[in-house]
């Protein structure tokens, strides 16, 4: 079998992470607390097929395992629905798995991969839409109403039903940002409102962000209390046709630093298909779709499984 070493290495890594941390987030209070088809096998099949075999859809992941891996995973459910149910039941495991991998990466590399300006650590922040329905279909969409709402993405000029994925990352030289914070919010929420409590906990940072995060009063408070700056491109004033040369240069410099976070979103969409959640039909499914695929991206970045 091709890439057998990668499969074995991934399985043992997942087993170690599960025993150390992930098992605490998925406890079964029933007689079937140790199913024959283990949680570790579910995770291994999902991550391996997504990362190595590049199977974006869960149906394709199951079909691949069913056709080629029955000897390796003899207790694999007989139906796709059974596999999907097991995967979605692990929704609470994926966020701590992301934290586990990122903490391990930081322990190995320390602060060598971070970029400093004076005494401040450079960060970049942005959000991207996770789309469950768009166009006329967004008015009839009712999946996961506690997580999803109708919203508008100005960068894509897109009206949709879904949620936003927010990522704050460490800026790194000639590399994609390393995520520090990952969160979700309904599509209608304002980005600054969502991340404002997070910003209040950060000290000695220079955060490069889009214009939507600009708010002078909060920026001044954050700088005076936390020595943290929010750097955004300059907005045109009402009636102003063109920015001054100085403002254009400043805006260009800010955009250059925060460009990798936009590249990160494009990369994760390409590798995992995270933006398209049109086939998800439950709240657990939404959480699994977002955080499982983000965990796969972190696994690619930190563990070199490609």
């Amino acid at each position: 079998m091709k890439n057998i070493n990668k499969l074995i290495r991934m399985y043992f890594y997942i087993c170690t992470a599960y025993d150390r941390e992930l098992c605490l987030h998925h406890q079964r209070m029933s007689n079937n607390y140790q199913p024959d088809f283990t949680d570790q096998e579910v995770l291994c099949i999902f991550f391996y097929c997504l990362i190595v075999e590049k199977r974006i859809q869960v149906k394709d992941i199951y079909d691949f395992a069913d056709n080629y891996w029955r000897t390796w995973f003899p207790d694999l459910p007989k139906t796709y629905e059974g596999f999907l149910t097991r995967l979605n039941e692990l929704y609470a495991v994926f966020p701590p798995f992301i934290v586990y991998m990122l903490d391990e990466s930081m322990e190995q590399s320390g602060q060598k991969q971070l970029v400093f300006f004076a005494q401040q650590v450079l960060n970049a922040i942005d959000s991207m839409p996770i789309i469950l329905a768009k166009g006329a279909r967004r008015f009839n969409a009712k999946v996961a109403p506690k997580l999803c709402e109708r919203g508008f993405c100005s960068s894509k000029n897109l009206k949709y039903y879904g949620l936003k994925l927010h990522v704050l990352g460490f800026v790194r030289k000639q590399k994609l940002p390393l995520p520090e914070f990952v969160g979700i919010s309904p599509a209608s929420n304002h980005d600054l409102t969502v991340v404002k409590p997070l910003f209040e906990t950060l000290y000695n940072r220079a955060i490069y962000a889009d214009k939507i995060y600009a708010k002078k009063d909060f920026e001044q408070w954050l700088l005076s209390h936390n020595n943290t700056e929010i750097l955004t491109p300059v907005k045109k004033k009402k009636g102003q046709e063109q920015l001054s040369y100085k403002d254009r240069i400043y805006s260009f410099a800010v955009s250059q630093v925060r460009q990798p976070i936009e590249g990160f979103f494009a990369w994760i969409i390409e590798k995992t298909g995270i933006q398209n959640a049109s086939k998800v039909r439950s709240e657990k499914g939404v959480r699994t779709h977002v955080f499982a695929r983000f965990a796969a991206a972190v696994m690619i970045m930190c563990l070199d499984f490609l």
Side-chain angles (χ1 to χ4, degrees):
M1 184 178 122
K2 186 175 71 172
N3 294 322
I4 184 63
N5 291 334
K6 290 182 180 180
L7 177 64
I8 294 173
R9 189 159 60 94
M10 183 179 292
Y11 178 74
F12 278 107
Y13 181 84
I14 290 173
C15 287
T16 301
Y18 195 92
D19 293 341
R20 289 180 179 177
E21 177 67 26
L22 306 187
C23 63
L24 302 176
H25 302 271
H26 186 65
Q27 297 287 338
R28 289 184 175 85
M29 304 302 176
S30 68
N31 293 332
N32 188 32
Y33 67 95
Q34 288 183 329
D36 293 332
F37 184 55
T38 66
D39 296 337
Q40 294 91 321
E41 290 176 315
V42 177
L43 296 173
C44 184
I45 289 174
F46 175 81
F47 285 122
Y48 180 89
C49 291
L50 179 61
I51 294 172
V52 180
E53 298 295 335
K54 305 185 188 326
R55 310 278 172 158
I56 300 297
Q57 301 298 328
V58 179
K59 183 68 165 63
D60 294 336
I61 290 173
Y62 173 78
D63 289 342
F64 180 86
D66 187 38
N67 290 332
Y68 299 106
W69 284 355
R70 278 289 173 184
T71 55
W72 286 80
F73 302 99
D75 297 309
L76 178 73
K78 295 182 180 180
T79 64
Y80 158 69
E81 290 76 14
F83 178 79
L84 180 63
T85 299
R86 287 294 307 277
L87 180 65
N88 287 343
E89 286 297 325
L90 292 171
Y91 72 95
V93 163
F94 298 109
F97 190 32
I98 294 171
V99 174
Y100 177 88
M101 289 187 287
L102 292 175
D103 286 348
E104 191 176 70
S105 176
M106 288 299 293
E107 287 178 4
Q108 292 176 357
S109 61
Q111 295 185 344
K112 295 179 181 178
Q113 56 185 325
L114 306 184
V115 179
F116 290 83
F117 180 77
Q119 299 298 319
Q120 293 176 318
V121 180
L122 269 59
N123 288 105
I125 190 168
D126 207 348
S127 65
M128 65 173 284
I130 306 296
I131 303 167
L132 275 73
K134 57 184 178 180
R137 292 181 59 245
R138 74 185 188 276
F139 294 108
N140 299 321
K142 298 179 181 179
V143 176
K146 293 182 180 179
L147 295 177
C148 302
E149 292 178 356
R150 290 193 295 270
F152 176 72
C153 177
S154 57
S155 62
K156 296 180 179 292
N157 193 27
L158 174 69
K159 295 178 180 179
Y160 69 102
Y161 175 84
L163 61 156
K164 292 180 182 179
L165 174 68
H166 305 268
V167 178
L168 174 73
F170 291 113
V171 174
R172 301 189 293 175
K173 293 180 180 179
Q174 299 180 345
K175 289 184 178 181
L176 293 174
L178 183 69
E180 180 184 9
F181 167 83
V182 183
I184 57 176
S185 71
S188 61
N189 285 12
H190 192 281
D191 288 3
L192 182 59
T193 302
V194 174
V195 301
K196 189 175 179 180
L198 170 67
F199 285 174
E200 292 173 349
T201 67
L202 300 177
Y203 293 84
N204 303 318
R205 305 294 185 96
I207 304 173
Y208 289 79
D210 198 0
K211 295 177 183 178
I212 198 170
Y213 295 89
K215 189 176 182 182
K216 289 186 177 180
D217 293 343
F218 180 62
E219 290 174 12
Q220 292 172 358
W221 181 92
L222 201 60
L223 181 59
S224 61
H225 287 76
N226 293 11
N227 191 33
T228 292
E229 295 182 82
I230 303 176
L231 305 168
T232 62
V234 179
K235 290 183 178 180
K236 292 181 182 178
K237 296 179 181 179
K238 189 174 182 180
Q240 185 178 7
E241 295 183 0
Q242 188 175 0
L243 293 173
S244 66
Y245 178 76
K246 180 181 177 180
D247 287 341
R248 292 202 304 272
I249 293 297
Y250 175 80
S251 297
F252 177 78
V254 171
S255 298
Q256 285 291 98
V257 176
R258 63 175 298 273
Q259 189 275 332
I261 195 72
E262 297 177 351
F264 174 80
F265 284 134
W267 174 79
I268 194 176
I269 291 171
E270 177 187 351
K271 294 295 183 183
T272 70
I274 193 173
Q275 190 168 68
N276 182 9
S278 60
K279 295 185 178 181
V280 178
R281 293 294 179 267
S282 68
E283 183 175 326
K284 290 181 180 179
V286 171
R287 294 183 183 276
T288 298
H289 176 88
V290 175
F291 291 108
R293 292 170 190 273
F294 198 93
V298 173
M299 187 177 287
I300 296 172
M301 293 179 67
C302 299
L303 305 178
D304 190 27
F305 275 116
L306 278 179

